[in-house]
Amino acid sequence: MLALDPQALSHLATGRTVALVSGTNGKTTTTKLLASALPTTDGAPVASNFQGANLPSGLVTALAERAGRGPAVLEVDEAWLGEVAAQVLPAALVLLNLSRDQLDRHHEVRHLAQRWRSLCQGLAPVTFVVANADDPLVAWAAAAAAGQVTWVAAGARWRLDAAGCPECGGRLSFGLAAPLSAGAGGGLAEPGGAYDDGHWQCDGCGLSRPAPDLWLEQDGANLSACWRSGPRVALKVSLPGRCNRFNALMALATAVRLGATAPEAAHALAGVDEVAGRYSTVSAGAGSAKLLLAKNPAGWVEALDMLSPAPAPVVVAINAHGVDGRDTSWIWDVPFENLRGRSVFASGERALDMSVRLHYADVAHQVEPDTWKAVAAMNSRAVDVVANYSAFQQLRSRRLLPAPGAPK
Amino acid sequence: MTVSVALVYPDLLGTYGDGGNATVLVQRLAWRGIEARLVPVLSSGQLPSSCDFYVIGGGEDQPQSMAADLMASGRRLERAVGNGAVVLAVCAGLQLLGQSFEANDGRPRPGLGLLDCVTSRSERARAVGELLVQPGPEWGEGLDLVTGFENHQGRTELGKRSRPVGQVLRGVGNGDGGLEGAVSGRVWGTYMHGPVLARNPKLADLLLSWVVGPLAPVDDARPTALHDERTGSALAEAVSKGGARGWAEWAERGRRAWGAVRERW
């Protein structure tokens, strides 16, 4: 359709309220969360590319499938955000995080941040920005927006790609700052203080985290989203892992700015428990497998955090196609040592790379390139499967076939 | 004795997973009952000059220049090398240990001069992909074909005081004369990620032997399987790109090239 009409995206977006979601990790999940929480006035359905087709052709398809004037929530590849924004004139730009992804594509992450900053500088006044204040590259890019930015303390646990200040190249330091609200620790406090506060600043030029407008507070099992302006709302997130709490917070901030009430939006967010097959549990042989997608080091750190408690068995599967990055070296930045004591299979087309990583991490394991065979070999009721992009897609497409060994 | 392995500026030169080389070195010592200590040195800290090993990785342009500035002040790495330390420097690490490299503003800037090579920005398309190298005979019988993944825009010319790791069979390497890497004494520079020591256990042991002497064997079934898979797939690509030319011709080409290389040094 793009070939027929280069303006297709622009035409299909005309008259709609459009939110664009971008970032290295969490795009698909945040898009689904936001689409579910968005207020719809006259019952017009929300158009969205839930399945993650995030280049212009995929966006055109998503809009064409739900033609009309209904709102749209679109995830957009980080490198395409500028072009897409120029065509659709979005109401909201949701900027999640930037860290390194496919190593061999040499989209140096700083270069992407620079392009986002140029985009923000040129934004029309009708577009507002919701940005992760905890990610230095994102905050630097978003700060260039003329309009009001909603700063969300949305976490940035992965810091290896942000050592240099995006403004001056100076050294960034991370750590505790003044509490965000009196009486609370600020940020997402975890038992044992495992996570830092998201504050950061440059030792050189003084660039620092913008004061967050919205953050999470945890009291026992209860999670609340707190606005600097005063309101707070209980937040329940059904998706596993720390990163999804932050994705939900970004979606909440955006939905509220687009006119949703906070309690309604929070209620809708709680209903999302699966995203394009991710986090879903599928039957496999005699048991079941929980499927987790992790595409890059930052994503793997979060995924290992979502595993069922040890010693639950785990299959880790990687491929190295173009979409995955053809260089597998990144697996050495992920703390696979944490898998010690579990039953582990190394799997995927590059199972041997994973096997060597596990070998040096002193993780006893077996090798089975076929991921479903590995799951079946576990002979366990519940297996967690973590896979990178194309390995995950292969798994999902085969899930439609009879489970291995199942009677025909 | 405790062998100390410094991982140099992982916050600046940690983009390509090369820190795994330090993990490999420490584990291969530990498996042999040799006490080993990993010493991560962040850019905010001072580089020690007393470690036995220094592992330097690849990074983006701006952090590479920052790392070069930090390492130039104090000349601590030069002192360590003078005392016999072994250095493994990958990609940006190789470039900044040379005589000079081209910074992101297009100007040459001085490197540490531990390797005799000069790096400029290559006019060719970025070198991205599997890199397979026939190592030179001076590294001994034990060193197999060396496999890695390259991802760079550099063209590295060797001077007389550095020798290459070997002859490129598949990939680009230095982008000058079909050679890969730069080695001077105990400083080993390469364009190979992977990480290179994870894919090449014999190279890991060669570098370790320079510090601790002859090594007892360890169970290398898994690293060897990976080495052979990567080597085999790169060879298959090289041969298929070469059309009817078979493996024998590649081997002959490697021998001829080595004759020429030996004459040059």
Side-chain angles (χ1 to χ4, degrees):
Chain A
M1 192 179 275
L2 274 176
L4 295 178
D5 178 5
Q7 302 300 314
L9 194 51
S10 171
H11 290 157
L12 286 164
T14 304
R16 294 181 191 261
T17 297
V18 180
L20 301 181
V21 179
S22 196
T24 307
N25 284 312
K27 289 187 286 288
T28 307
T29 300
T30 306
T31 296
K32 171 118 184 205
L33 289 165
L34 176 56
S36 71
L38 211 57
T40 51
T41 41
D42 39 23
V46 178
S48 184
N49 52 341
F50 291 128
Q51 296 295 331
N54 61 18
L55 300 179
S57 55
L59 307 185
V60 165
T61 306
L63 292 176
E65 278 172 5
R66 289 269 167 92
R69 296 287 162 89
V73 182
L74 301 172
E75 78 158 270
V76 185
D77 182 90
E78 304 88 276
W80 283 92
L81 188 60
E83 285 85 340
V84 171
Q87 292 192 46
V88 306
L89 200 64
L93 212 52
V94 185
L95 306 179
L96 300 172
N97 50 64
L98 281 174
S99 68
R100 89 190 115 102
D101 206 0
Q102 295 101 333
L103 292 181
D104 56 301
R105 280 201 188 167
H106 76 92
H107 283 152
E108 288 191 347
V109 64
R110 263 150 229 288
H111 191 230
L112 279 176
Q114 177 63 55
R115 287 164 67 178
W116 279 20
R117 186 171 167 88
S118 305
L119 164 66
C120 289
Q121 259 160 358
L123 279 182
V126 297
T127 305
F128 68 83
V129 178
V130 176
N132 180 358
D134 293 355
D135 186 313
L137 295 176
V138 170
W140 174 74
Q148 198 207 335
V149 178
T150 298
W151 295 109
V152 182
R157 192 195 233 169
W158 183 261
R159 287 165 181 171
L160 288 178
D161 302 327
C165 170
E167 178 69 30
C168 73
R171 190 176 297 124
L172 292 180
S173 32
F174 296 87
L176 291 164
L180 292 166
S181 66
L188 177 61
E190 292 280 340
Y195 305 120
D196 288 335
D197 184 279
H199 188 77
W200 55 268
Q201 65 176 33
C202 173
D203 299 342
C205 68
L207 184 75
S208 63
R209 174 172 75 163
D213 300 302
L214 178 60
W215 61 87
L216 283 173
E217 282 181 14
Q218 188 169 23
D219 179 14
N222 301 318
L223 208 57
S224 304
C226 307
W227 276 265
R228 187 149 55 120
S229 51
R232 52 196 297 147
V233 63
L235 191 64
K236 185 172 171 296
V237 182
S238 305
L239 298 171
R242 179 179 179 270
C243 59
N244 284 326
R245 299 170 176 184
F246 289 129
N247 290 334
L249 192 64
M250 292 291 286
L252 178 67
T254 313
V256 167
R257 275 200 73 170
L258 286 170
T261 70
E264 281 168 4
H267 179 74
L269 292 173
V272 177
D273 59 1
E274 179 260 7
V275 178
R278 304 171 193 184
Y279 320 113
S280 61
T281 300
V282 300
S283 62
S288 65
K290 182 169 81 181
L291 306 184
L292 299 168
L293 170 72
K295 296 186 286 191
N296 45 48
W300 277 84
V301 169
E302 300 293 356
L304 294 184
D305 193 48
M306 296 177 200
L307 297 177
S308 309
V314 179
V315 177
V316 281
I318 58 166
N319 287 356
H321 294 285
V323 288
D324 306 310
R326 290 183 294 140
D327 182 1
T328 57
S329 302
W330 56 267
I331 61 178
W332 291 81
D333 289 332
V334 178
F336 285 105
E337 287 79 3
N338 296 347
L339 296 181
R340 281 177 203 156
R342 296 175 187 258
S343 275
V344 179
F345 264 91
S347 189
E349 292 168 5
R350 296 297 288 271
L352 290 180
D353 293 76
M354 182 59 83
S355 169
V356 169
R357 173 70 189 95
L358 295 172
H359 178 64
Y360 281 105
D362 282 334
V363 176
H365 65 280
Q366 291 172 275
V367 179
E368 171 53 66
D370 183 317
T371 306
W372 281 127
K373 279 189 188 158
V375 170
M378 285 288 192
N379 205 16
S380 162
R381 275 234 173 97
V383 181
D384 288 346
V385 181
V386 192
N388 71 346
Y389 191 80
S390 74
F392 188 87
Q393 299 305 340
Q394 286 169 0
L395 266 180
R396 282 198 67 211
S397 63
R398 285 189 50 194
R399 167 190 156 197
L400 303 173
L401 303 171
K408 297 244 163 83
Chain B
M1 105 188 242
T2 300
V3 178
S4 50
V5 179
L7 178 59
V8 180
Y9 306 151
D11 50 335
L12 297 177
L13 301 172
T15 309
Y16 297 100
D18 301 309
N21 290 319
T23 309
V24 169
L25 290 171
V26 168
Q27 272 290 31
R28 295 185 75 80
L29 289 167
W31 287 335
R32 287 160 164 128
I34 300 169
E35 214 172 301
R37 191 162 56 96
L38 178 62
V39 185
V41 184
L42 294 177
S43 62
S44 52
Q46 193 173 54
L47 195 65
S49 58
S50 57
C51 288
D52 302 295
F53 255 104
Y54 292 80
V55 173
I56 309 173
E60 299 177 32
D61 293 345
Q62 195 186 2
Q64 177 182 0
S65 293
M66 281 172 74
D69 286 343
L70 288 169
M71 288 164 86
S73 69
R75 318 290 287 174
R76 303 174 74 85
L77 188 63
E78 290 91 320
R79 211 181 312 156
V81 169
N83 292 334
V86 173
V87 181
L88 172 66
V90 180
C91 200
L94 154 69
Q95 295 178 359
L96 66 85
L97 292 196
Q99 303 293 355
S100 72
F101 65 93
E102 192 172 321
N104 41 350
D105 60 7
R107 297 209 192 119
R109 54 175 301 150
L112 297 198
L114 288 170
L115 293 170
D116 188 14
C117 62
V118 170
T119 301
S120 54
R121 187 165 275 267
S122 167
E123 303 291 312
R124 304 204 298 181
R126 192 176 174 90
V128 183
E130 292 288 326
L131 179 55
L132 183 68
V133 166
Q134 170 73 58
E138 63 268 47
W139 313 125
E141 294 285 308
L143 193 56
D144 287 330
L145 294 177
V146 190
T147 161
F149 193 97
E150 64 181 331
N151 183 357
H152 63 96
Q153 188 76 54
R155 180 173 184 275
T156 298
E157 286 176 71
L158 297 185
K160 285 207 184 324
R161 284 175 291 110
S162 280
R163 54 185 54 199
V165 169
Q167 179 76 25
V168 174
L169 298 179
R170 157 93 179 91
V172 175
N174 295 352
D176 182 46
L179 304 176
E180 201 293 304
V183 186
S184 286
R186 294 175 158 198
V187 182
W188 186 283
T190 176
Y191 272 111
M192 290 181 166
H193 305 291
V196 63
L197 298 188
R199 283 190 181 199
N200 301 281
K202 288 178 178 171
L203 175 59
D205 281 357
L206 174 68
L207 300 185
L208 283 172
S209 72
W210 291 353
V211 171
V212 297
L215 289 157
V218 289
D219 175 9
D220 265 334
R222 285 182 155 140
T224 302
L226 174 64
H227 174 270
D228 293 352
E229 180 203 71
R230 291 293 93 213
T231 302
S233 105
L235 272 178
E237 280 180 49
V239 171
S240 73
K241 283 194 176 174
R245 288 189 317 210
W247 161 235
E249 190 170 334
W250 276 100
E252 177 53 32
R253 192 176 136 173
R255 272 193 292 276
R256 275 204 309 272
W258 264 105
V261 167
R262 266 204 300 273
E263 273 173 33
R264 198 169 150 199
W265 280 273

